Amino acid sequence: MQTALELRGLTKRFGDKVAVDGIDLTVPQGSFYGLVGQNGAGKTTTLSMAVGLLRPDGGTAQIFGADVWTAPDTAKAIVGVLPDGLAMPERLTGREVLTYLGLLRGMAKDVVAQRAAELLEVLELDTAEKALVIEYSTGMRKKIGLATALLHAPRLLVLDEPFEAVDPVSAATIKTILRGFVAGGGSIVLSSHVMALVEQLCDHVAVVDAGTVVAAGPLDQVRGTNTLEDTFVGLVGGQDKGIKELSWLSK
Amino acid sequence: MAVEVTMAQMKFAILRHAFRGQRAQTAGTGAVLGGLLAAGTVYLAFSGPFEVLAAAYAVWLLGWVLGPVFMGGGDETVRPEYFALLGLPARRLATGLLTAAFVGVAPLVSLAALLGLLVVGVRSGSVLLAVPAMLLQLAVFVLLSKVSVALVGLALRSRLGAIGSGLVNGLILAALGQIWVFFAAFGQTGIPSAVRYLPSSWGLLAAQGDWRALAALVVLVLVLLAAWAALLGKRATRVSGSGRRRIAAASSGGAVIAKELRTWSRDLVRNHQAAFALAYGVGFAASPLLIGWNGMLPYAGPIFVVMAAAMASNLYGTDGTALWLTLMTPGASDVRGRQLAWLSVQAPIAIVLGVAFTFLASGPWPLILALLAALLGGAAGLIPLVSVYALVPGTDPHRRAGNPLRTSEDDGGLTGLAYLMLASVLVTGVPAGLTAIYLGWAGVPVGLLTGALCWWGFGLLAERRLRSHGPELLDTMRTGRKPQTRTSFRTDHLSKTEKAIAGWCFGLGAIPLIPQGILAAVFVSNGMLRHSWFLATYLPAGWRYPVAAGFIALGLAMYGTGLWLVRPNRPKPAPAC
């Protein structure tokens, strides 16, 4: 089976701090891959390097065999990305953002128009037809970001915290869309803090801690007989420290 | 006419009810004072030279425009909101309100003052032109007042606030740069001839028999009416009812242009910057008119281009981390689209300014056209180049705080970048400018050539840089940290004293260079001695030219010192990356 995303020895230093320390990761085609880790574990840095938004100090990233740094045109045409907290063309409306991006990707005008209309409707952004992206709420920004990632029908989706600040109804819609994408042969890598969500959606999982992968593979293999949360805390929470309480807070 | 007549009757009815008791006294006092002023104005038409009358009408216009702005928004007796539910077309509403606006004390008093035009008409033997000129002039007063109030009202809460503050800032800075003009104007007696060309004098020109002035008045009334109608539409539909045009482009290049054009029209910051550049260019070039010298007027266009380029020097930085989308679509050409969009916004303004003002000053055509071509091309090339090579990380638009004009925490960096852009765009105009000065029309093809080369070559370099260093630029914007390998051309490495010296040099260098140097030499060569405050014209014969030359040298030295202080410095050799 072909590999959707292959990371080999990805490394990134910021000053003295090693943010990502030689990460290896193999995402098989057709898998729904969850990347979990604490704040600052290196998830966002890893995903940025994986799609060509951040230049690594070492290592390689390949999307369906195309190297992100040596063959960017091929690699970037087949990946859809939802980065966390980056700006958009803020003075455009949602529909204009999608039209602009579709044309940038060289898609035909009528195809762009039709897909944009469908995406806006499904993600319930069509009610805010006249609002500029800068006026969007955080949840709406996530949704328009997801729409831009889906617009060109990529083969791999790389999503950084796609469910953050999204309301439950929209979250259910997004889950349905993503499950449909995987069922149709697409592959997804998503990062999240929410273990329940990863357990619910993903068939593969990788636990990242301090810039390295401490466990990776099919979900059942990684979590064994425990819940993912227990496994995660066991892996990254430290052995004897456990979870501390604030003694002065309860009487 | 039904709507117009109804609104006028309504106004009359409201005024009749309102003018009782205290208010009647106030209105009466106002009417008496206004009547005296009007009588004085008419007296000027009988006795004085027409220049003085022109100045009087300029004061009347100023009163109409500034009065309501400073005194609570002007006459709001009949308000557009009253008719919001009637569904009147905006133009109809505007003409109706205009008719109503003619009912009242102030228009009556002004009409009395404008009787002076009738007097002028009789004296010049053109009464037939004077009567319509009176009415049209009154319409201009009322409409300018309405339009300026509507503008200020909108400005307080919307995009026009940014534009307004841009205009004001631009004018203030231009006035500071040309402060010598005001000194000189104080030293002069008499009224600058420019007053004769203000819209307040067009009625006067018409009454003297100039039918073109009458036509200009008609056009001005129509334009103001249209502007007011548009502004009324904005006022009635406060909650963003304006339709959004769909993107009509069908290619990736067209998409970038469409995105940029929308950003230019919708982004407060860019509105502000364009208005600033426009006000600066016009203000700087037009202020010598105060002393009756129109030789700088044609340069409004070129000055506007240079200033607009400086404003756009951090083009990529102001968009913040939206750069990621450009990185994810490597096939599309972002730089060319941005260049075209910048040109299609700024070039028409620059060309209109340049052509119109050169026409008014009757030349020098070759130099202005050559400079416009060279500077527009140079700026369109340098903007993307400078903004990718010397990017100052900004705050992402959606994370900015209350003041939309604050795009970055790094003010020193932004200022330095603007200076760098000013200097380098000016350099791109040098070959065409010199050719035009020495060879005349040959300068224009040279300007077109260097402009096209700068556009093409610098754009190509910027495109390459974006492709090779895109992720680093994105990282700079995301973290706000600049890699330490960059040439820095900025003001915050300077000590306070150095900053102050640079500020004085840039701020006041124009005084020795232009009035005391170049202009004084011109006056001396024309034999205009003992002229206002131009030092060289007061000196004995042998000293005049040396002193003027000395001032020119001093001015150049001041600009040179300023540039030297903020020059690029390279703290460390750049490591390979």
Side-chain angles (χ1 to χ4, degrees), chain B residues 332-344:
Chain B
S333 170
D334 193 62
V335 169
R336 293 293 182 214
R338 283 176 185 259
Q339 286 183 303
L340 278 174
W342 186 85
L343 270 184
S344 60

Side-chain angles (χ1 to χ4, degrees), chain B residues 25-402:
Chain B
Q25 276 180 13
T26 318
T29 318
V32 170
L33 282 177
L36 285 175
L37 287 176
T41 310
V42 175
Y43 174 72
L44 287 179
F46 278 110
S47 66
F50 291 154
E51 278 77 8
V52 183
L53 189 60
Y57 285 134
V59 175
W60 279 94
L61 178 72
L62 209 63
W64 272 98
V65 172
L66 293 183
V69 173
F70 288 115
M71 293 187 292
D75 174 30
E76 288 272 45
T77 319
V78 179
R79 295 178 193 188
E81 284 86 343
Y82 297 168
F83 312 101
L85 294 176
L86 293 181
L88 290 173
R91 193 71 59 88
R92 201 78 201 278
L93 183 64
T95 51
L97 288 170
L98 178 66
T99 316
F102 281 115
V103 177
V105 177
L108 204 66
V109 167
S110 299
L111 190 65
L114 286 168
L115 282 173
L117 293 184
L118 204 59
V119 177
V120 173
V122 172
R123 280 176 68 185
S124 318
S126 46
V127 185
L128 279 183
L129 287 178
V131 175
M134 257 175 72
L135 297 176
L136 286 169
Q137 191 70 68
L138 183 64
V140 166
F141 283 174
V142 174
L143 274 170
L144 262 180
S145 171
K146 290 286 176 194
V147 168
S148 60
V149 169
L151 281 178
V152 172
L154 269 183
L156 295 181
R157 61 172 181 273
S158 71
R159 145 183 14 178
L160 282 160
I163 294 180
S165 60
L167 289 175
V168 171
N169 287 351
L171 284 177
I172 291 174
L173 269 180
L176 282 177
Q178 295 281 57
I179 193 79
W180 61 271
V181 168
F182 296 92
F183 291 148
F186 291 141
Q188 272 187 349
T189 49
I191 291 145
S193 60
V195 170
R196 284 176 64 84
Y197 299 105
L198 291 177
S200 55
S201 304
W202 294 0
L204 184 60
L205 290 175
Q208 288 171 270
D210 190 349
W211 60 268
R212 285 175 306 172
L214 197 68
L217 273 179
V218 173
V219 172
L220 184 60
V221 166
L222 291 178
V223 167
L224 286 173
L225 196 61
W228 192 33
L231 287 167
L232 284 175
K234 290 251 185 275
R235 173 170 162 147
T237 54
R238 193 169 294 177
V239 194
S240 171
S242 58
R244 307 262 191 224
R245 282 169 297 126
R246 290 245 172 139
I247 290 182
S251 65
S252 63
V256 177
I257 297 175
K259 185 261 290 176
E260 279 293 295
L261 286 180
R262 280 164 177 73
T263 310
W264 277 106
S265 71
R266 294 172 187 171
D267 185 357
L268 286 178
V269 179
R270 296 200 196 188
N271 289 177
H272 173 83
Q273 292 170 341
F276 174 86
L278 180 66
Y280 189 88
V282 173
F284 197 90
S287 45
L289 288 178
L290 290 176
I291 55 163
W293 184 60
N294 67 4
M296 196 172 266
L297 199 56
Y299 298 91
I303 295 172
F304 164 76
V305 175
V306 174
M307 198 42 93
M311 292 293 107
S313 55
N314 202 25
L315 186 64
Y316 278 95
T318 41
D319 282 355
T321 53
L323 183 67
W324 76 273
L325 289 167
T326 308
L327 299 189
M328 290 311 292
T329 49
S333 170
D334 193 62
V335 169
R336 293 293 182 214
R338 283 176 185 259
Q339 286 183 303
L340 278 174
W342 186 85
L343 270 184
S344 60
V345 172
Q346 316 289 357
I349 306 176
I351 291 169
V352 166
L353 274 186
V355 170
F357 284 11
T358 310
F359 181 75
L360 283 178
S362 344
W365 286 104
L367 180 57
I368 298 303
L369 294 181
L371 281 178
L372 278 178
L375 292 175
L376 279 171
L382 281 168
I383 288 168
L385 187 71
V386 168
S387 74
V388 295
Y389 268 91
L391 180 115
V392 176
T395 313
D396 268 1
H398 65 289
R399 295 186 202 279
R400 284 178 201 155

Side-chain angles (χ1 to χ4, degrees), chain A residues 18 93 98 103 110 131 139 154 191 233:
Chain A
V18 181
T93 65
L98 295 179
L103 293 174
D110 49 343
S191 73
V233 173

Side-chain angles (χ1 to χ4, degrees), chain A residues 55 76 85 87 91 96 130, chain B residues 266 321 324 399 468 472:
Chain A
R55 201 185 302 276
K76 288 173 178 175
R91 314 285 164 176
E96 286 171 347
K130 281 182 181 159
Chain B
R266 294 172 187 171
T321 53
W324 76 273
R399 295 186 202 279
S468 65
E472 282 71 24

